[in-house]
Amino acid sequence: MKTQVLRPILLYPLLVITFAVFAIPLYWLFSTSLKAPEEIYTFPVTWFPALPRWENFVEAWTAAPFDRFLLNSVITTTVGTTLELLLAIMSAYAFAFVPFRWKRPILLLMLGSLMLPGHVTLLVNYITIGNLGWINTYQGLILPGIGTAFAMFLLLQQMRRISAELVDAMTLDGAGHVHRLIQLVLPLSRPMIITATLIILIGKWNDFVWPLIATNTVTMRTLPIGLMFLRSEEGYNNWGAVMAGTVITALPMLIIFFLAQRRIVGGLAAGALR
C-alpha cells in the first residue's frame, strides 16, 4: 500500500523535471526568435517578448539563401529516405525469406556495422565520390548514406513475425518473391515501415557533417549548414534572426515528430520486444 502511494509522489516530480529539461530549451528557442535585440541581452532574462518581432524571420530568410537551402534539404531528404527505405525493405525480405549461402555471417557483419560510429566511413566515402566526380552534387549527397543497417534491422524484426504458413501458402499458389513482398509482407509490415521512414527522414533532415564535407558552394548547402552560414553572416549581434532561422530549420521535423511520436516509440518498442 505504501509503495502504491509513494510511487506517484516520486514519479510525477520526476516527469515534471524531465519535461522541463526538454521543453524549456524549445520554448527559449521560439521566444527568442520573436524578441528584439535589447530583450535578448537583458538580465534578468525576458521570458515573454513584449512585442513579437516577426521581422526576425524575414531577416533570416533574406540574410542567407534559405529558399535554396530548403530546396536542397527537401530533395536530399525525400530521395535519400526513399532509396534507403527501398534498400532496407529488400534486404530485410531477403534475410527473412530467401535462403542463400552465408546468410548469418553477412547479417552479423551488417549488424556489426551499427557498432561503428558513422564518422569512420567519412573519409572513404569522400574519396569515393571525389573519384567519381560527385563532389557538390545531389548524388554525392544522397547515395553514400542509403546503405545503413538500422532500418533493415527494424524491418527484419517485423518480417520475422509473419507466419511461415502464409508465405508457404502463397508459394504453393505460384507467387514469386515480388508478389509475396507486395501482397503479403509489405501490408503486414506497414507499422514498422512507417516507423523506419520517420526515423530515416528525421536523421537525413538534420544531417550536418556529410553535407558540410560533400559540398563546397552555397547553392548546394542544406538547412543545417545554412544555419552556420546565417550565423557567420549575422554574427553574434542579431541572435533573433539566428534563432528564427533555427525555427525554420527545426519546425518541419518537430511537427512530424509530434504527430507521429506514437508510431516511432511503438515501432522501436516492438523491435526491442522481439
Side-chain angles (χ1 to χ4, degrees):
M1 185 67 180
K2 291 182 178 180
T3 304
Q4 294 178 351
V5 174
L6 289 175
R7 185 176 297 173
I9 296 176
L10 297 175
L11 181 61
Y12 290 135
L14 181 61
L15 290 175
V16 171
I17 294 173
T18 304
F19 174 78
V21 168
F22 288 95
I24 290 176
L26 284 176
Y27 172 77
W28 186 256
L29 167 65
F30 283 96
S31 64
T32 305
S33 68
L34 296 174
K35 290 179 181 178
E38 57 272 12
E39 290 183 298
I40 297 175
Y41 296 102
T42 57
F43 186 83
V45 298
T46 303
W47 289 97
F48 302 97
L51 183 64
R53 193 172 186 273
W54 298 100
E55 294 84 355
N56 288 337
F57 289 89
V58 178
E59 292 178 10
W61 191 267
T62 56
F66 262 85
D67 53 346
R68 185 66 188 186
F69 298 154
L70 179 61
L71 176 63
N72 292 336
S73 287
V74 170
I75 292 174
T76 56
T77 300
T78 303
V79 178
T81 299
T82 302
L83 293 177
E84 183 173 344
L85 187 64
L86 289 175
L87 187 61
I89 290 173
M90 291 186 290
S91 300
Y93 177 86
F95 283 117
F97 301 110
V98 180
F100 59 89
R101 194 178 183 185
W102 308 111
K103 178 193 288 191
R104 184 171 178 80
I106 294 173
L107 177 60
L108 292 177
L109 181 63
M110 293 183 65
L111 295 180
S113 67
L114 295 174
M115 303 297 106
L116 299 175
H119 297 78
V120 171
T121 59
L122 282 179
L123 181 59
V124 176
N125 286 336
Y126 181 79
I127 294 174
T128 301
I129 67 171
N131 292 334
L132 293 172
W134 288 356
I135 299 294
N136 219 48
T137 62
Y138 285 120
Q139 59 266 33
L141 280 171
I142 295 170
L143 293 182
I146 66 173
T148 58
F150 181 72
M152 183 277 297
F153 176 67
L154 288 180
L155 295 174
L156 176 61
Q157 297 298 90
Q158 176 65 32
M159 291 180 186
R160 282 176 170 173
R161 294 181 171 188
I162 299 174
S163 173
E165 287 76 10
L166 291 176
V167 179
D168 293 340
M170 291 195 69
T171 304
L172 292 175
D173 288 339
H177 288 300
V178 176
H179 190 193
R180 277 180 280 171
L181 175 63
I182 296 175
Q183 297 295 327
L184 175 66
V185 176
L186 291 184
L188 294 178
S189 303
R190 186 176 301 166
M192 189 63 76
I193 291 174
I194 295 174
T195 300
T197 302
L198 294 171
I199 294 173
I200 296 171
L201 189 75
I202 293 172
K204 290 191 178 300
W205 183 271
N206 295 327
D207 191 14
F208 177 84
V209 177
W210 180 248
L212 180 64
I213 294 174
T215 59
N216 51 32
T217 62
V218 175
T219 56
M220 287 301 299
R221 302 294 197 188
T222 56
L223 280 173
I225 313 300
L227 282 180
M228 184 180 67
F229 181 84
L230 175 63
R231 197 178 73 172
S232 65
E233 289 292 313
E234 294 295 318
Y236 291 93
N237 296 322
N238 194 358
W239 277 108
V242 175
M243 291 299 181
T246 306
V247 170
I248 295 172
T249 302
L251 192 59
M253 291 300 107
L254 285 175
I255 294 173
I256 290 175
F257 176 78
F258 283 118
L259 291 177
Q261 58 179 320
R262 286 190 177 182
R263 290 191 177 274
I264 296 176
V265 176
L268 291 175
L273 290 174
R274 173 65 181 174

